[in-house]
Amino acid sequence: MTVRKVSYTTKVNKTTKRVEVIARQDKTQVGELEFSLAQNLVIDGIPVAKIQWIGVREEYRGQGIATGLYQAAADYACGVGMRLASDETLKLGSRGFWEKQRKAGNAVRKLTDKRGGKRKSRYVLACPARINPPTNDENIRKLERLAAQSGTIE
C-alpha cells in the first residue's frame, strides 16, 4: 500500500465562530474536523476551543488522518491564544486519540467552566501543541517514559 500525502486546510466561519479543518488526499476530501471558537469555555483563565465533531472516510482510516486533523486544529487554536479541548462525551472514535495524548503528556483531564453554567470534564491539549502519534509499541513506551519524567502539563 502506497501512502499518499495528505494536506490540511482551515476555513473559518466568522458568523458561527467555528473552524473547519479539511483533509485532502490529491483532490479528494478524506476527513473533516469542526471546532468552536466561542469563548464561553474557560480553563485556568484561558479560552478553550471545543471539538464539535470529526470524521474520516472509512477507507482512509488508520493512516493518521484524524491525528493530522487534530494537529491542525490544535495549531490554529494555540495560534489564536486558545487551547483545544475534547467534547465531554468522548465518542468511541476520539477516546483513543485523547487517551494517547494524555499518556504522552500532551493533554490533561480538566474541569472547564461554562460561564453561567455547570462544569464539564474534558481533555485539554497543552500549547504549544506537540502531538506526536506513536507508530509502534516502542514509541508508546518512549512517550510514556518521557511523560513520567516531565510530569503533567498544566
Side-chain angles (χ1 to χ4, degrees), residues 108-128:
V108 294
R109 189 89 169 160
K110 288 281 211 169
L111 286 175
T112 54
D113 292 322
K114 195 168 196 172
R115 293 186 184 143
K118 63 182 185 178
R119 296 167 61 113
K120 303 266 186 172
S121 177
R122 305 172 190 276
Y123 283 104
V124 179
L125 284 172
C127 284

Side-chain angles (χ1 to χ4, degrees), residues 18-35:
R18 289 192 177 189
V19 178
E20 290 179 5
V21 181
I22 299 166
R24 286 192 176 81
Q25 201 171 66
D26 298 325
K27 293 184 179 185
T28 304
Q29 184 172 327
V30 297
E32 190 172 347
L33 178 149
E34 183 176 282
F35 64 97

Side-chain angles (χ1 to χ4, degrees), residues 36-47:
S36 171
L37 291 176
Q39 297 189 11
N40 64 341
L41 290 176
V42 178
I43 187 166
D44 298 333
I46 299 170

Side-chain angles (χ1 to χ4, degrees), residues 104 132-146:
N132 184 9
T135 55
N136 58 41
D137 290 339
E138 179 60 334
N139 282 346
I140 292 171
R141 286 191 290 278
K142 284 179 187 176
L143 289 171
E144 287 173 343
R145 282 194 301 273
L146 287 170

